[in-house]
Amino acid sequence: MKKIVYNKTILVICMFALCLVSSFSFSQSLPPVNNFTPSEYQADNQNWSISQTEDKQIFVANNKGLLNFNGEDWTLYPSPNESIIRSVHAVNQTVYTGCYKDFGVWKENNKGLYEYESLVNKYNLELEEDEQFWKIINLNQFVIFQ
């Protein structure tokens, strides 16, 4: 019977190479994530809801109003009734928001800025005392404010 002699240095190098190769072959890459601070987007640090339009613009319901991020610049649209915007939901290119005692729709004008129209005022709706709208969903052709 032959006796096999192992060189410890070669064995250590092989083990290290095996570990190195296996760690690269089973690794996952993470998607790029950008973190923005309130000083970068010039609004409050509390965000309640987020949605995205078909053209990939991001809208955020923030304590100071509606935040819009087009991939490069942030724009803050103050809350129409100066309350916290609690919910935002984009359907195609239309953005819906809900806040304290009001909900409505934002549409882009010919200058590329978003303008608000209160649906509460438009339809002369009577709301309960201290009513807030925390969630917006679309169901078929309807938009539901909860």
Side-chain angles (χ1 to χ4, degrees), residues 36-88:
F36 297 97
T37 65
S39 62
E40 288 175 290
Y41 55 78
Q42 297 294 305
D44 203 42
N45 66 345
Q46 195 162 22
N47 299 304
W48 296 95
S49 180
I50 188 168
S51 191
Q52 187 175 22
T53 58
E54 278 186 343
D55 66 350
K56 307 296 183 211
Q57 291 193 60
I58 302 290
F59 287 87
V60 181
N62 183 274
N63 278 3
K64 295 285 185 187
L66 179 66
L67 279 169
N68 171 230
F69 183 64
N70 64 10
E72 189 173 325
D73 298 311
W74 287 96
T75 304
L76 175 64
Y77 296 98
S79 174
N81 65 0
E82 298 181 0
S83 68
I84 296 170
I85 294 182
R86 301 283 188 189
S87 56
V88 62

Side-chain angles (χ1 to χ4, degrees), residues 65-121:
L66 179 66
L67 279 169
N68 171 230
F69 183 64
N70 64 10
E72 189 173 325
D73 298 311
W74 287 96
T75 304
L76 175 64
Y77 296 98
S79 174
N81 65 0
E82 298 181 0
S83 68
I84 296 170
I85 294 182
R86 301 283 188 189
S87 56
V88 62
H89 184 68
V91 179
N92 301 323
Q93 292 302 109
T94 305
V95 180
Y96 298 92
T97 58
C99 57
Y100 175 76
K101 295 194 81 167
D102 196 14
F103 60 89
V105 61
W106 299 79
K107 292 185 180 176
E108 192 173 15
N109 65 20
N110 56 4
K111 295 179 182 177
L113 301 174
Y114 282 80
E115 295 177 342
Y116 181 76
E117 179 181 20
S118 170
L119 296 177
V120 172
N121 293 341

